[in-house]
Structure formats: structure tokens, C-alpha cells
Amino acid sequence: MQFHFIANAAHEGASGRTIPVIDPSDGQPFDVIQRGNADDMALAVRSARHCYDTLWSKLSAAERGRLLMRLSARIADHIDELTDIEQRDCGKPTRQARADAVALARYFEFYAGACDKLHGQTIPYQDGYTVLTWHEPHGVTGHIIPWNYPMQIFGRSVAASLAAGNVCVVKPSEDACLSLLRVAQLAGECGFPAGAINIVTGYGHEVGEALARDAGIDHISFTGSPRVGTLIQQAAAERHCPVTLELGGKSPQIVFDDADIEAVLPAVVNAIVQNAGQTCSAGSRLLVQQGLYEPLLERLGALFANLRVGPAAMDLDVGPLIRASQQQRVWDFLSDAQVAGIPMVAQGQIVDSAPDSGFYQAPALLRDVPAAHRLAQEEVFGPVLAAMSFRDEDHAVALANATQFGLVSGIWTRDGARQLRMARRVRSGQVFINNYGAAGGVELPFGGVKSSGHGREKGFEALYGFTTLKTVAIRHGH
Ligand code: NAD
């Protein structure tokens, strides 16, 4: 049985109700979490406020940095344990779960070093004045986290927020919160004061909504679907609470005729099968220039056919999807594609030993997908790649920008001038040239435009979002 983590202690929820934890690899329950409600959230917010007022806001930036560094080291000492937890809870193949745990340690390391480097400015003004600016913490920040990368998203938003001087109340996804409950314990063990990091588990429409509406939350960082992002922003607007929204994507990989095909192939496969395609920045649309379209699809089809899907512990190319409803969602997309006559180039293989009760989906490569079809417009959130061809740069830009999303773009060409022209013309928060994702890049600011959200997390830039700027004008005469 798992409990909320509030003020460095395990708390049973006020409702006395629980939610089963399901292993996606076999569809079986193996634990329970608390089904939190507004009372639990209020308790966590009070504990956070008390910590902020009495202790956290009085620490120097250097002291905060040392605490974050200690937690980074403690996470690094528990990589194996966190990997095992995440593998079972999220169905992540071992290497992917481990990469998330390593990234979590790295986020705390990066932001530990950033704590005492968040400088304000002095501003030249009229004679007789000195004007300066300070980056002040919001106070208590709320973090609503999805199930696809719990540790990475916790790392990027909670570490940055603590570094900026805030304390945190976290609402993880009801589908994946075990690793975060353990990380919060590790923080308490290594000296974080009671109330600095609080975790309240439960359903989004119950405890998530309570967080969004709680007047004690001074800033909300939401990562999740555009639909829920809208609800969060509406709730926050009622009390003018600032919000960072990290939402979905339908990101294009744009491959020109002159691209290095040997570099393109593994990157295109990885960008759609990593975490079984359940990645906000998945490269889910493949736009290929006409001359390379047939040869690229032929080689890519052979790679897709060889992909193996199975239980997380087998550490194959692809693990299960998170839950049965996600599997059904992917099936619906594929059956719509079949009805529309969209050709399937190739599909991977689910291994025979995968339990029937697990949520498996073979990766699928589809071609000639019409730009207006939902497969080219909507986030599938599964290992399904939609390929289409383009004529020239203008056509590529038109296709790339023709969705509601704008999170990430990949551009593959050896032509340097074209790299820069394309990077300017595609509308997305990140652009990768001759690579996709730059291996994660804790240092690299991340976030979207259009329905992919607003605000930036990761990198030093995140600290600005977790602070508010105060301008101080001092009149001292001559
Ligand atoms: P979701 O929107 O269903 O849930 C996200 C979180 O919001 C969960 O903790 C959930 O419990 C909570 N929630 C649900 N309803 C709520 C409500 N009414 N009020 C408050 N909270 C509520 O998303 P998901 O299915 O968990 O995650 C997948 C989505 O997240 C995809 O769209 C994906 O692209 C997006 N995502 C974006 C990024 C990014 O950085 N841009 C990263 C990861 C995932």
C-alpha cells in the first residue's frame, strides 16, 4: 500500500479509498495508491506554505544548491531501485526506465548548480535613481505530471522550481506515481525540510482539479494533454494564477533528398518507438522529399518489421502501452487508416511470450497518409509513424506547420543554408538538425507553440518561469 507524501511523512488519504496499480506488461494489479481528494491537497498545500514561510525562504541560494546536489547523489545511488519501480509501474523496457532515472539525477545536479546564479540586473535610468531587478520565487508551486515520463518531468519541473526558491506540491498521474513517491522519500532522508516536496496521488478530476483551484498554489506547471491543459488554464484564470503548459505534439521529421540516410534511419525509428510512441516529442510524422521517398520507405519498412515488442523486463525495442484504453486508442487510429485505404508498409512483432493480458501494440509504418487525415493531425500516443512525401522546401514547410501542434521538428539535409532557412520557417519550440532530440539535453530549453503549450522548462530558462520579476527603483538624489 502506498501513501501520500506530505511534510516528509506517509499520509493515508482522507477518503480512505484507494486506486489499484496495474503492471502494463501483464495487466495485473500489484499495489494500491491513495485516492486523494481536496482535503488531502489542502493539507499538502498548508505543509508547503509552512515550510516556505518558516524555513525554505530563509535558506541561502547556496544552501538550496547543496541540498539539490545531495538529492542528485542519492538518486544516483538508487538508480537500480528506481529503474525497477518504473519498469513495472510504466511498462518501460529496462534501458528506457534506467535512462529516466539517470536523467532525474542529472536534473537535480544541473539545477543544484543554477541556484546561486540567478542574477537580477541594474537598469540605467534617470539621474538620481538606481533601479534593480530581482527574480523572486512564486512561493508554493503545483506540478501536475503525466504517466509517460514521471521521473524526467518531475526532475525538470520540481528541481527547477526548488532551485528558483519555491516549495512544491506534486500531483502525479494515477497511472504512474510509484517512482515519485520513492524520490520524495529520498529527499526527506537526505535533509529536505518537511513540506519542501509533497506528493498527493489520485485522479485528475479529483485531486488534480483541487490543485488547480487551490488558492494556496502560486504557480502551476502542467504537463499533459491539450484537453486537460485547457481546463487547468481556465481554473487558474479564475484567480490569475500563472501557468506553464507542456502539452502534446505531432512532430515532423523532414528528410530532404540530400540527407545522410544512414543517420536518418535509426533516428526516425527511435523517435517513434521510444517509450512505445508515448512521448510528447515523438517524431510521429515522416515528411520525405520525392526523390528519397521510395528508397527510404523500403529500408525503414525492413527495420520496422524487425522491431520486437514484449514485457518491460525483457528489455526489447518496445514495451507495452500504459493501459488498455491507450491500446484501444491506437487500434482505433489504425482501423480508421484501414477504412481510408492508407497503406501499411510494415509492422513489428509481438513476442510469443508476451502475456495476452498485457497492453501490447506492434509498431506500424503507414505511407501516403493524406495531410488532413487524423493520423497526420492528431496525437496517437502509440508507435505509429505516418509517412508522406513533399516536393520542395515550401511544400515541406506547409506540411510541417499544418497541424494544431508545434513542439519539436527534425530537419535532415546536408545543405547548410537550407538548414537555417528551414529552422526559421518551421513553427515549433525546438528544432533539431541532422539529429532528433539531441540525446535529451537537460540544458536545452523545451516547450511548445500553438496547442503544444506555452512557457519553457529545462535549461536555465526554466528558472525564469518559476520566478516573478520585481523592479526596485531607489531615489537617492545626486
Ligand atoms: P492527461 O492530460 O490525461 O493527464 C496529465 C495529468 O493531469 C495527470 O496527472 C492527470 O491525472 C491530470 N488530470 C487529468 N484531468 C485533470 C483535471 N480535470 N484537472 C487537473 N488535473 C487533471 O495526460 P496523460 O494522458 O497523462 O499524458 C499524455 C499527454 O501528455 C500527451 O498529450 C502528451 O503529449 C503530453 N505530454 C507533454 C509533454 C511535454 O513536455 N510537452 C511531456 C509528456 C507528456
Side-chain angles (χ1 to χ4, degrees), residues 144-149 153 156 171-175 202-210 212 222-229 231-232 245-249 279-281 323 326 379 381 407 446-447 452:
I144 301 180
I145 294 182
W147 44 262
N148 61 341
Y149 288 87
I153 293 165
R156 78 181 188 200
K171 204 306 267 176
S173 167
E174 55 275 28
D175 289 313
Y203 289 121
H205 65 278
E206 294 178 345
V207 77
E209 195 177 321
F222 172 79
T223 306
S225 60
R227 183 188 69 80
V228 178
L231 297 176
I232 301 292
L245 293 182
E246 298 277 7
L247 309 177
T279 303
C280 55
S281 54
R323 51 174 135 76
Q326 195 64 26
E379 197 176 30
F381 233 50
L407 195 55
F446 179 79
S452 291

Tab-separated table of all heavy atoms in Angstrom, residues 144-149 153 156 171-175 202-210 212 222-229 231-232 245-249 279-281 323 326 379 381 407 446-447 452, ligand 1:
chain	number	residue	atom	x	y	z
A	144	ILE	N	1.554	19.180	-12.013
A	144	ILE	CA	0.689	18.070	-12.445
A	144	ILE	C	1.434	17.325	-13.546
A	144	ILE	O	1.851	17.920	-14.549
A	144	ILE	CB	-0.679	18.586	-12.919
A	144	ILE	CG1	-1.360	19.356	-11.785
A	144	ILE	CG2	-1.548	17.430	-13.397
A	144	ILE	CD1	-2.728	19.920	-12.127
A	145	ILE	N	1.615	16.031	-13.335
A	145	ILE	CA	2.575	15.244	-14.124
A	145	ILE	C	1.865	14.083	-14.814
A	145	ILE	O	1.006	13.435	-14.201
A	145	ILE	CB	3.705	14.765	-13.169
A	145	ILE	CG1	4.456	16.013	-12.690
A	145	ILE	CG2	4.634	13.747	-13.824
A	145	ILE	CD1	5.613	15.757	-11.786
A	146	PRO	N	2.205	13.803	-16.077
A	146	PRO	CA	1.582	12.673	-16.783
A	146	PRO	C	2.300	11.360	-16.489
A	146	PRO	O	3.290	11.338	-15.746
A	146	PRO	CB	1.747	13.066	-18.254
A	146	PRO	CG	3.030	13.833	-18.290
A	146	PRO	CD	3.164	14.518	-16.945
A	147	TRP	N	1.836	10.278	-17.110
A	147	TRP	CA	2.377	8.956	-16.789
A	147	TRP	C	3.526	8.552	-17.691
A	147	TRP	O	4.166	7.535	-17.450
A	147	TRP	CB	1.273	7.888	-16.903
A	147	TRP	CG	0.426	8.042	-18.125
A	147	TRP	CD1	-0.797	8.651	-18.207
A	147	TRP	CD2	0.738	7.617	-19.461
A	147	TRP	NE1	-1.255	8.637	-19.501
A	147	TRP	CE2	-0.337	8.007	-20.289
A	147	TRP	CE3	1.814	6.952	-20.037
A	147	TRP	CZ2	-0.362	7.758	-21.662
A	147	TRP	CZ3	1.800	6.704	-21.402
A	147	TRP	CH2	0.727	7.102	-22.189
A	148	ASN	N	3.795	9.319	-18.753
A	148	ASN	CA	4.732	8.758	-19.739
A	148	ASN	C	6.201	8.876	-19.343
A	148	ASN	O	6.990	7.997	-19.649
A	148	ASN	CB	4.472	9.317	-21.137
A	148	ASN	CG	4.636	10.803	-21.231
A	148	ASN	OD1	4.616	11.513	-20.221
A	148	ASN	ND2	4.798	11.312	-22.436
A	149	TYR	N	6.558	9.977	-18.662
A	149	TYR	CA	7.953	10.131	-18.181
A	149	TYR	C	7.920	10.718	-16.773
A	149	TYR	O	8.389	11.840	-16.562
A	149	TYR	CB	8.753	11.057	-19.106
A	149	TYR	CG	9.098	10.449	-20.434
A	149	TYR	CD1	8.217	10.541	-21.503
A	149	TYR	CD2	10.296	9.766	-20.625
A	149	TYR	CE1	8.518	9.970	-22.729
A	149	TYR	CE2	10.609	9.193	-21.844
A	149	TYR	CZ	9.713	9.302	-22.889
A	149	TYR	OH	10.017	8.726	-24.102
A	153	ILE	N	9.909	14.286	-15.935
A	153	ILE	CA	9.100	15.507	-15.844
A	153	ILE	C	9.118	16.060	-14.422
A	153	ILE	O	9.188	17.273	-14.214
A	153	ILE	CB	7.687	15.242	-16.406
A	153	ILE	CG1	7.816	14.990	-17.910
A	153	ILE	CG2	6.758	16.415	-16.132
A	153	ILE	CD1	6.633	14.380	-18.573
A	156	ARG	N	12.571	17.830	-14.240
A	156	ARG	CA	12.730	19.120	-14.919
A	156	ARG	C	11.893	20.213	-14.271
A	156	ARG	O	12.283	21.372	-14.279
A	156	ARG	CB	12.422	18.985	-16.405
A	156	ARG	CG	10.963	18.945	-16.748
A	156	ARG	CD	10.712	18.778	-18.229
A	156	ARG	NE	9.302	18.935	-18.505
A	156	ARG	CZ	8.706	18.492	-19.592
A	156	ARG	NH1	9.402	17.866	-20.515
A	156	ARG	NH2	7.424	18.690	-19.771
A	171	LYS	N	1.204	16.463	-8.126
A	171	LYS	CA	0.111	15.525	-8.382
A	171	LYS	C	0.565	14.665	-9.559
A	171	LYS	O	0.442	15.054	-10.709
A	171	LYS	CB	-1.160	16.312	-8.743
A	171	LYS	CG	-2.453	15.594	-8.485
A	171	LYS	CD	-2.587	14.228	-9.111
A	171	LYS	CE	-3.246	14.218	-10.468
A	171	LYS	NZ	-3.267	12.868	-11.065
A	172	PRO	N	1.091	13.462	-9.276
A	172	PRO	CA	1.496	12.586	-10.385
A	172	PRO	C	0.274	11.952	-11.034
A	172	PRO	O	-0.833	12.044	-10.503
A	172	PRO	CB	2.344	11.512	-9.704
A	172	PRO	CG	2.281	11.755	-8.236
A	172	PRO	CD	1.270	12.822	-7.968
A	173	SER	N	0.504	11.273	-12.138
A	173	SER	CA	-0.603	10.574	-12.795
A	173	SER	C	-1.054	9.384	-11.959
A	173	SER	O	-0.228	8.683	-11.349
A	173	SER	CB	-0.155	10.080	-14.167
A	173	SER	OG	-1.105	9.171	-14.666
A	174	GLU	N	-2.341	9.117	-11.960
A	174	GLU	CA	-2.879	7.946	-11.261
A	174	GLU	C	-2.322	6.654	-11.865
A	174	GLU	O	-2.367	5.597	-11.241
A	174	GLU	CB	-4.414	7.941	-11.319
A	174	GLU	CG	-5.037	8.016	-12.709
A	174	GLU	CD	-5.178	9.440	-13.248
A	174	GLU	OE1	-4.377	10.312	-12.850
A	174	GLU	OE2	-6.095	9.668	-14.062
A	175	ASP	N	-1.803	6.735	-13.113
A	175	ASP	CA	-1.270	5.538	-13.780
A	175	ASP	C	0.198	5.295	-13.500
A	175	ASP	O	0.720	4.247	-13.891
A	175	ASP	CB	-1.459	5.664	-15.300
A	175	ASP	CG	-2.916	5.543	-15.682
A	175	ASP	OD1	-3.569	4.619	-15.190
A	175	ASP	OD2	-3.408	6.395	-16.449
A	202	GLY	N	-3.792	10.421	-6.881
A	202	GLY	CA	-5.232	10.307	-7.109
A	202	GLY	C	-5.586	10.695	-8.530
A	202	GLY	O	-4.715	10.934	-9.372
A	203	TYR	N	-6.894	10.749	-8.775
A	203	TYR	CA	-7.379	11.040	-10.132
A	203	TYR	C	-7.288	12.533	-10.450
A	203	TYR	O	-7.424	13.384	-9.568
A	203	TYR	CB	-8.834	10.592	-10.273
A	203	TYR	CG	-8.997	9.089	-10.286
A	203	TYR	CD1	-9.785	8.449	-9.327
A	203	TYR	CD2	-8.371	8.303	-11.255
A	203	TYR	CE1	-9.947	7.067	-9.341
A	203	TYR	CE2	-8.519	6.924	-11.266
A	203	TYR	CZ	-9.304	6.317	-10.312
A	203	TYR	OH	-9.449	4.963	-10.330
A	204	GLY	N	-7.144	12.808	-11.746
A	204	GLY	CA	-7.033	14.191	-12.194
A	204	GLY	C	-8.269	15.014	-11.888
A	204	GLY	O	-8.173	16.152	-11.412
A	205	HIS	N	-9.457	14.426	-12.147
A	205	HIS	CA	-10.682	15.218	-11.979
A	205	HIS	C	-11.004	15.435	-10.500
A	205	HIS	O	-11.903	16.205	-10.174
A	205	HIS	CB	-11.857	14.556	-12.705
A	205	HIS	CG	-12.227	13.227	-12.125
A	205	HIS	ND1	-11.565	12.066	-12.447
A	205	HIS	CD2	-13.179	12.876	-11.224
A	205	HIS	CE1	-12.095	11.061	-11.773
A	205	HIS	NE2	-13.082	11.522	-11.028
A	206	GLU	N	-10.281	14.746	-9.612
A	206	GLU	CA	-10.496	14.944	-8.172
A	206	GLU	C	-9.340	15.779	-7.598
A	206	GLU	O	-9.467	16.985	-7.399
A	206	GLU	CB	-10.634	13.590	-7.471
A	206	GLU	CG	-11.902	12.866	-7.936
A	206	GLU	CD	-12.101	11.482	-7.341
A	206	GLU	OE1	-11.152	10.909	-6.764
A	206	GLU	OE2	-13.216	10.963	-7.471
A	207	VAL	N	-8.212	15.127	-7.384
A	207	VAL	CA	-7.140	15.833	-6.676
A	207	VAL	C	-6.378	16.799	-7.611
A	207	VAL	O	-5.879	17.833	-7.166
A	207	VAL	CB	-6.238	14.798	-5.962
A	207	VAL	CG1	-5.303	14.115	-6.912
A	207	VAL	CG2	-5.505	15.422	-4.815
A	208	GLY	N	-6.337	16.471	-8.920
A	208	GLY	CA	-5.690	17.390	-9.870
A	208	GLY	C	-6.461	18.695	-9.948
A	208	GLY	O	-5.896	19.796	-9.903
A	209	GLU	N	-7.776	18.557	-10.048
A	209	GLU	CA	-8.616	19.761	-10.113
A	209	GLU	C	-8.503	20.557	-8.811
A	209	GLU	O	-8.475	21.792	-8.817
A	209	GLU	CB	-10.063	19.364	-10.385
A	209	GLU	CG	-10.883	20.549	-10.813
A	209	GLU	CD	-12.315	20.169	-11.171
A	209	GLU	OE1	-12.516	19.105	-11.788
A	209	GLU	OE2	-13.201	20.961	-10.816
A	210	ALA	N	-8.413	19.837	-7.690
A	210	ALA	CA	-8.264	20.528	-6.395
A	210	ALA	C	-6.976	21.344	-6.378
A	210	ALA	O	-6.946	22.471	-5.866
A	210	ALA	CB	-8.279	19.502	-5.254
A	212	ALA	N	-5.458	22.636	-9.037
A	212	ALA	CA	-5.609	23.790	-9.941
A	212	ALA	C	-6.439	24.897	-9.293
A	212	ALA	O	-6.246	26.080	-9.591
A	212	ALA	CB	-6.241	23.328	-11.255
A	222	PHE	N	1.905	22.422	-15.628
A	222	PHE	CA	1.095	21.282	-16.069
A	222	PHE	C	1.740	20.640	-17.285
A	222	PHE	O	2.032	21.322	-18.274
A	222	PHE	CB	-0.330	21.727	-16.422
A	222	PHE	CG	-1.135	20.613	-17.062
A	222	PHE	CD1	-1.701	19.617	-16.275
A	222	PHE	CD2	-1.272	20.532	-18.444
A	222	PHE	CE1	-2.400	18.561	-16.863
A	222	PHE	CE2	-1.976	19.482	-19.033
A	222	PHE	CZ	-2.540	18.499	-18.235
A	223	THR	N	1.932	19.338	-17.234
A	223	THR	CA	2.371	18.590	-18.412
A	223	THR	C	1.334	17.512	-18.670
A	223	THR	O	1.055	16.696	-17.783
A	223	THR	CB	3.752	17.941	-18.182
A	223	THR	OG1	4.673	18.959	-17.776
A	223	THR	CG2	4.276	17.298	-19.445
A	224	GLY	N	0.763	17.526	-19.856
A	224	GLY	CA	-0.266	16.548	-20.167
A	224	GLY	C	-0.953	16.899	-21.480
A	224	GLY	O	-0.367	17.557	-22.352
A	225	SER	N	-2.200	16.472	-21.597
A	225	SER	CA	-2.909	16.606	-22.870
A	225	SER	C	-3.437	18.027	-23.061
A	225	SER	O	-3.717	18.731	-22.087
A	225	SER	CB	-4.081	15.620	-22.885
A	225	SER	OG	-4.951	15.930	-21.801
A	226	PRO	N	-3.618	18.447	-24.318
A	226	PRO	CA	-4.192	19.771	-24.577
A	226	PRO	C	-5.575	19.939	-23.939
A	226	PRO	O	-5.905	21.015	-23.433
A	226	PRO	CB	-4.277	19.823	-26.111
A	226	PRO	CG	-3.216	18.875	-26.574
A	226	PRO	CD	-3.157	17.776	-25.549
A	227	ARG	N	-6.368	18.865	-23.925
A	227	ARG	CA	-7.723	18.969	-23.352
A	227	ARG	C	-7.660	19.357	-21.876
A	227	ARG	O	-8.317	20.303	-21.438
A	227	ARG	CB	-8.461	17.616	-23.506
A	227	ARG	CG	-9.883	17.622	-23.008
A	227	ARG	CD	-10.481	16.215	-22.996
A	227	ARG	NE	-9.887	15.338	-22.007
A	227	ARG	CZ	-10.187	15.332	-20.704
A	227	ARG	NH1	-11.094	16.167	-20.228
A	227	ARG	NH2	-9.593	14.501	-19.875
A	228	VAL	N	-6.836	18.649	-21.113
A	228	VAL	CA	-6.749	18.968	-19.681
A	228	VAL	C	-6.009	20.289	-19.472
A	228	VAL	O	-6.338	21.058	-18.571
A	228	VAL	CB	-6.106	17.801	-18.896
A	228	VAL	CG1	-5.985	18.159	-17.424
A	228	VAL	CG2	-6.931	16.529	-19.059
A	229	GLY	N	-5.043	20.585	-20.351
A	229	GLY	CA	-4.343	21.875	-20.262
A	229	GLY	C	-5.317	23.043	-20.313
A	229	GLY	O	-5.175	24.032	-19.579
A	231	LEU	N	-8.439	22.971	-19.316
A	231	LEU	CA	-9.163	23.017	-18.026
A	231	LEU	C	-8.305	23.673	-16.946
A	231	LEU	O	-8.789	24.465	-16.135
A	231	LEU	CB	-9.544	21.599	-17.573
A	231	LEU	CG	-10.500	20.827	-18.470
A	231	LEU	CD1	-10.698	19.401	-17.938
A	231	LEU	CD2	-11.844	21.548	-18.555
A	232	ILE	N	-7.021	23.332	-16.953
A	232	ILE	CA	-6.104	23.891	-15.935
A	232	ILE	C	-6.026	25.406	-16.107
A	232	ILE	O	-6.102	26.169	-15.139
A	232	ILE	CB	-4.687	23.286	-16.090
A	232	ILE	CG1	-4.709	21.779	-15.939
A	232	ILE	CG2	-3.693	23.951	-15.126
A	232	ILE	CD1	-5.034	21.259	-14.589
A	245	LEU	N	2.301	25.482	-19.551
A	245	LEU	CA	1.625	24.320	-20.139
A	245	LEU	C	2.579	23.607	-21.095
A	245	LEU	O	3.048	24.198	-22.081
A	245	LEU	CB	0.381	24.753	-20.916
A	245	LEU	CG	-0.785	25.336	-20.123
A	245	LEU	CD1	-1.946	25.666	-21.059
A	245	LEU	CD2	-1.260	24.383	-19.028
A	246	GLU	N	2.863	22.360	-20.796
A	246	GLU	CA	3.672	21.498	-21.679
A	246	GLU	C	2.723	20.435	-22.214
A	246	GLU	O	2.385	19.493	-21.503
A	246	GLU	CB	4.814	20.841	-20.891
A	246	GLU	CG	5.818	21.809	-20.281
A	246	GLU	CD	6.879	22.259	-21.280
A	246	GLU	OE1	6.768	21.919	-22.480
A	246	GLU	OE2	7.818	22.955	-20.862
A	247	LEU	N	2.286	20.577	-23.470
A	247	LEU	CA	1.204	19.725	-23.973
A	247	LEU	C	1.702	18.786	-25.087
A	247	LEU	O	2.873	18.462	-25.134
A	247	LEU	CB	0.047	20.612	-24.438
A	247	LEU	CG	-0.402	21.657	-23.399
A	247	LEU	CD1	-1.491	22.547	-23.957
A	247	LEU	CD2	-0.853	21.002	-22.107
A	248	GLY	N	0.805	18.388	-25.940
A	248	GLY	CA	1.119	17.323	-26.896
A	248	GLY	C	1.843	17.800	-28.141
A	248	GLY	O	2.229	18.958	-28.260
A	249	GLY	N	2.038	16.864	-29.071
A	249	GLY	CA	2.735	17.194	-30.303
A	249	GLY	C	2.352	16.262	-31.437
A	249	GLY	O	1.707	15.224	-31.226
A	279	THR	N	5.342	9.509	-26.246
A	279	THR	CA	6.295	10.587	-25.969
A	279	THR	C	5.732	11.857	-26.596
A	279	THR	O	5.338	11.835	-27.765
A	279	THR	CB	7.671	10.245	-26.590
A	279	THR	OG1	8.109	9.001	-26.063
A	279	THR	CG2	8.698	11.319	-26.317
A	280	CYS	N	5.699	12.959	-25.807
A	280	CYS	CA	5.127	14.201	-26.351
A	280	CYS	C	5.860	14.629	-27.601
A	280	CYS	O	5.270	15.104	-28.556
A	280	CYS	CB	5.184	15.300	-25.296
A	280	CYS	SG	6.846	15.571	-24.658
A	281	SER	N	7.197	14.446	-27.610
A	281	SER	CA	8.005	14.905	-28.735
A	281	SER	C	8.279	13.784	-29.736
A	281	SER	O	9.214	13.873	-30.534
A	281	SER	CB	9.333	15.459	-28.209
A	281	SER	OG	9.965	14.476	-27.403
A	323	ARG	N	-1.953	1.396	-20.654
A	323	ARG	CA	-3.196	0.791	-20.159
A	323	ARG	C	-4.077	0.372	-21.332
A	323	ARG	O	-3.823	0.756	-22.481
A	323	ARG	CB	-3.962	1.741	-19.246
A	323	ARG	CG	-4.182	3.117	-19.807
A	323	ARG	CD	-5.092	3.950	-18.894
A	323	ARG	NE	-4.651	5.296	-18.647
A	323	ARG	CZ	-4.745	6.306	-19.506
A	323	ARG	NH1	-5.251	6.129	-20.713
A	323	ARG	NH2	-4.314	7.497	-19.172
A	326	GLN	N	-5.451	3.021	-23.730
A	326	GLN	CA	-4.460	3.576	-24.659
A	326	GLN	C	-4.289	2.626	-25.851
A	326	GLN	O	-4.168	3.054	-27.000
A	326	GLN	CB	-3.137	3.763	-23.915
A	326	GLN	CG	-2.131	4.648	-24.632
A	326	GLN	CD	-2.606	6.074	-24.785
A	326	GLN	OE1	-3.415	6.555	-24.001
A	326	GLN	NE2	-2.134	6.744	-25.826
A	379	GLU	N	-2.539	13.449	-32.130
A	379	GLU	CA	-1.537	12.688	-31.399
A	379	GLU	C	-2.082	11.278	-31.150
A	379	GLU	O	-3.095	11.116	-30.477
A	379	GLU	CB	-1.314	13.412	-30.068
A	379	GLU	CG	-0.079	13.031	-29.350
A	379	GLU	CD	0.115	13.873	-28.090
A	379	GLU	OE1	-0.874	14.311	-27.477
A	379	GLU	OE2	1.277	14.070	-27.711
A	381	PHE	N	-0.168	8.790	-29.738
A	381	PHE	CA	0.463	8.364	-28.485
A	381	PHE	C	0.625	6.854	-28.456
A	381	PHE	O	0.305	6.168	-27.494
A	381	PHE	CB	-0.322	8.870	-27.274
A	381	PHE	CG	0.574	9.621	-26.318
A	381	PHE	CD1	1.401	10.626	-26.771
A	381	PHE	CD2	0.614	9.299	-24.974
A	381	PHE	CE1	2.249	11.306	-25.909
A	381	PHE	CE2	1.462	9.969	-24.098
A	381	PHE	CZ	2.282	10.973	-24.577
A	407	LEU	N	5.656	21.410	-31.276
A	407	LEU	CA	6.549	21.094	-30.152
A	407	LEU	C	7.995	20.970	-30.632
A	407	LEU	O	8.874	21.717	-30.200
A	407	LEU	CB	6.078	19.809	-29.463
A	407	LEU	CG	6.651	19.527	-28.078
A	407	LEU	CD1	6.425	20.682	-27.127
A	407	LEU	CD2	6.048	18.254	-27.483
A	446	PHE	N	12.907	23.806	-23.360
A	446	PHE	CA	11.932	22.939	-24.040
A	446	PHE	C	10.529	23.469	-23.807
A	446	PHE	O	10.215	23.936	-22.713
A	446	PHE	CB	12.067	21.529	-23.452
A	446	PHE	CG	11.112	20.535	-24.044
A	446	PHE	CD1	11.356	19.963	-25.277
A	446	PHE	CD2	9.950	20.174	-23.366
A	446	PHE	CE1	10.478	19.048	-25.828
A	446	PHE	CE2	9.062	19.248	-23.912
A	446	PHE	CZ	9.331	18.688	-25.141
A	447	GLY	N	9.694	23.374	-24.835
A	447	GLY	CA	8.301	23.783	-24.696
A	447	GLY	C	7.731	24.034	-26.081
A	447	GLY	O	8.463	23.969	-27.072
A	452	SER	N	0.692	23.044	-28.460
A	452	SER	CA	1.707	22.305	-27.690
A	452	SER	C	2.046	23.015	-26.390
A	452	SER	O	2.842	22.483	-25.597
A	452	SER	CB	2.974	22.104	-28.532
A	452	SER	OG	2.709	21.210	-29.591
B	1	NAD	P1	-3.607	13.909	-19.148
B	1	NAD	O1	-3.818	15.312	-19.583
B	1	NAD	O2	-4.741	12.960	-19.230
B	1	NAD	O3	-3.113	13.844	-17.636
B	1	NAD	C1	-1.992	14.584	-17.197
B	1	NAD	C2	-2.129	14.822	-15.703
B	1	NAD	O4	-3.271	15.666	-15.496
B	1	NAD	C3	-2.372	13.564	-14.881
B	1	NAD	O5	-1.705	13.670	-13.640
B	1	NAD	C4	-3.888	13.578	-14.670
B	1	NAD	O6	-4.301	12.896	-13.517
B	1	NAD	C5	-4.125	15.071	-14.541
B	1	NAD	N1	-5.511	15.477	-14.833
B	1	NAD	C6	-6.422	14.853	-15.611
B	1	NAD	N2	-7.601	15.532	-15.593
B	1	NAD	C7	-7.413	16.609	-14.788
B	1	NAD	C8	-8.240	17.687	-14.370
B	1	NAD	N3	-9.518	17.791	-14.776
B	1	NAD	N4	-7.717	18.627	-13.554
B	1	NAD	C9	-6.429	18.532	-13.139
B	1	NAD	N5	-5.608	17.530	-13.478
B	1	NAD	C10	-6.087	16.575	-14.304
B	1	NAD	O7	-2.335	13.400	-19.974
B	1	NAD	P2	-1.682	11.959	-19.942
B	1	NAD	O8	-2.547	11.035	-20.715
B	1	NAD	O9	-1.293	11.609	-18.552
B	1	NAD	O10	-0.322	12.255	-20.732
B	1	NAD	C11	-0.251	12.253	-22.120
B	1	NAD	C12	-0.265	13.677	-22.657
B	1	NAD	O11	0.775	14.436	-22.052
B	1	NAD	C13	0.028	13.714	-24.141
B	1	NAD	O12	-0.804	14.656	-24.759
B	1	NAD	C14	1.495	14.155	-24.184
B	1	NAD	O13	1.900	14.759	-25.391
B	1	NAD	C15	1.544	15.110	-23.052
B	1	NAD	N6	2.924	15.310	-22.611
B	1	NAD	C16	3.533	16.505	-22.895
B	1	NAD	C17	4.867	16.701	-22.541
B	1	NAD	C18	5.573	17.994	-22.844
B	1	NAD	O14	6.610	18.242	-22.245
B	1	NAD	N7	5.079	18.823	-23.738
B	1	NAD	C19	5.568	15.695	-21.881
B	1	NAD	C20	4.909	14.490	-21.607
B	1	NAD	C21	3.577	14.316	-21.975
